[in-house]
C-alpha cells in the first residue's frame, strides 16, 4: 500500500506500507542517493513472517516531493517524526542504512527515541562526517555529470559481483532523486555529523556492517558500537556497503532474531 504524508506545508513524503496488519513493525530509512526500493529483498520476505514493513522516501528522493531546501539532519529527522505521528506508530523498530542510519540516530536524540523500541544501524553514516575532499568530489560530480557520479557510487557499493541488470536497477534509483537534493544531502554529510547524538540512544541497538565497506569503513561501526550503550555489532564477512542485498538471507535472519 502506497500513500503520501504531508510533513510540512507543500511537502509530501511517500510511504510504502507492506502488510499493515503485521504484528511487529519495522520502519526502514534508506541511504543516499537511493529510496525505499533498496529494501526490496526485505519486503519480499519479512511480511510473510508476520512483520509490517514500512519504507519511506526522504524528501527530494524517490516518489516524494522535491523541495529545494530542508536537507539537514534535523529537518530529515523531523520528516521521520511527522510520518511516525501520521501513522501513529508505537513500539516499532527503526532501521536506517548509511545516511539513513545517521538520520535515524538524529531522530533518536532529537525526539528521545519517541515510539522506537529497537534501533538497527546498517552501514550507518556515523559517528563522523564524510571527509571534505570525498564529499566535494561527490557534489561536483552531482552538479556536472550526475549519471557518471551514480555509476561510480554503484561500483563502490558492493563487494560481491552484481549483474548488469541489477546495476542498472540500482543506478535508476539514484536518478529518481533530484540533483539538488542529491548534492544537498552530501553537503550535510560533509558539514554535520551525529557524534554527539550517540550517547542519547538507550534502546537495544543492532549494528550491521560489511567488513569490506568502501563507503563507510568498518572502523566507523566499531567506534559507533563503543559510543552507543546497549549496542551489538555484527560484522558481515562477505559484504561491502550493501549487506541488505549481498548477504540478504543472513541479514533478514539476524534482523528477525534481534526484533524477536
Amino acid at each position: 500500500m502506497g500513500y503520501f504524508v504531508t510533513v510540512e506545508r507543500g511537502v509530501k513524503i511517500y510511504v510504502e506500507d507492506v502488510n499493515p496488519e503485521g504484528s511487529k513493525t519495522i520502519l526502514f530509512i534508506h541511504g543516499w542517493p537511493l529510496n525505499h526500493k533498496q529494501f526490496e529483498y526485505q519486503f519480499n520476505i519479512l511480511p510473510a513472517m508476520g512483520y509490517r514493513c514500512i519504507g519511506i522516501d526522504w524528501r527530494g528522493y524517490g516518489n516524494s516531493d522535491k523541495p529545494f531546501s530542508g536537507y539537514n539532519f534535523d529537518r530529515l529527522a523531523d520528516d521521520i517524526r511527522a510520518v511516525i505521528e501520521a501513522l501513529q506508530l508505537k513500539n516499532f523498530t527503526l532501521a536506517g542504512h548509511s545516511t539513513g542510519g545517521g538520520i535515524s540516530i538524529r531522530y533518536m536524540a532529537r525526539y528521545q527515541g519517541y515510539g522506537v523500541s529497537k534501533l538497527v544501524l546498517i552501514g550507518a553514516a556515523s559517528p563522523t562526517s564524510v571527509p571534505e575532499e570525498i564529499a566535494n568530489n561527490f557534489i561536483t560530480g552531482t552538479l556536472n555529470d550526475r549519471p557518471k557520479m551514480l555509476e561510480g557510487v554503484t561500483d563502490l557499493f558492493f563487494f560481491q559481483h552484481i549483474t548488469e541488470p541489477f546495476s542498472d536497477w540500482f543506478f535508476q534509483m539514484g536518478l529518481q532523486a533530484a540533483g539538488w537534493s542529491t548534492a544537498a544531502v552530501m553537503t550535510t554529510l560533509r558539514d554535520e555529523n551525529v557524534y554527539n547524538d550517540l550517547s542519547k540512544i538507550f534502546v537495544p541497538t543492532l549494528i550491521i556492517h560489511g567488513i569490506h565497506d568502501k563507503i563507510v569503513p568498518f572502523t566507523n561501526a566499531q567506534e559507533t558500537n563503543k559510543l552507543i550503550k546497549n549496542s551489538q555489532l555484527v560484522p558481515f564477512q562477505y559484504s561491502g556497503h550493501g549487506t541488505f542485498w549481498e548477504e540478504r538471507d543472513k541479514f533478514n535472519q539476524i534482523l528477525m532474531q534481534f526484533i524477536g
Side-chain angles (χ1 to χ4, degrees), residues 15-59:
V15 178
E16 188 73 53
D17 194 348
V18 188
N19 191 29
E21 298 78 31
S23 59
K24 292 175 180 176
T25 300
I26 312 169
L27 176 59
F28 289 91
I29 313 298
H30 67 81
W32 178 92
L34 306 168
N35 56 56
H36 79 276
K37 290 180 181 174
Q38 75 169 77
F39 295 112
E40 175 172 332
Y41 297 89
Q42 283 64 59
F43 295 170
N44 289 347
I45 301 295
L46 298 175
M49 304 295 190
Y51 294 88
R52 178 187 186 186
C53 293
I54 303 170
I56 70 169
D57 292 343
W58 312 338
R59 64 170 62 213

Side-chain angles (χ1 to χ4, degrees), residues 106-126:
R106 177 56 53 85
Y107 172 82
M108 296 299 292
R110 191 164 167 81
Y111 290 108
Q112 295 80 52
Y114 176 82
V116 178
S117 57
K118 293 185 176 179
L119 177 66
V120 181
L121 300 175
I122 309 148
S126 166

Side-chain angles (χ1 to χ4, degrees), residues 29-35 38 58 61 97-101 103 125 130 134-135 137-139 141-142 146 149-150 152-154 156-157 170 174 177-187 189 215 241:
I29 313 298
H30 67 81
W32 178 92
L34 306 168
N35 56 56
Q38 75 169 77
W58 312 338
Y61 293 74
H97 172 253
S98 194
T99 307
I103 296 166
V130 172
I134 293 171
N137 284 341
F138 279 127
I139 293 164
T142 298
R146 188 159 65 106
M149 183 280 294
L150 291 171
V153 169
T154 306
L156 279 174
F157 211 95
F170 203 74
W180 58 86
S181 48
T182 303
V185 168
M186 185 49 66
T187 302
L189 288 167
I215 293 177
H241 200 51

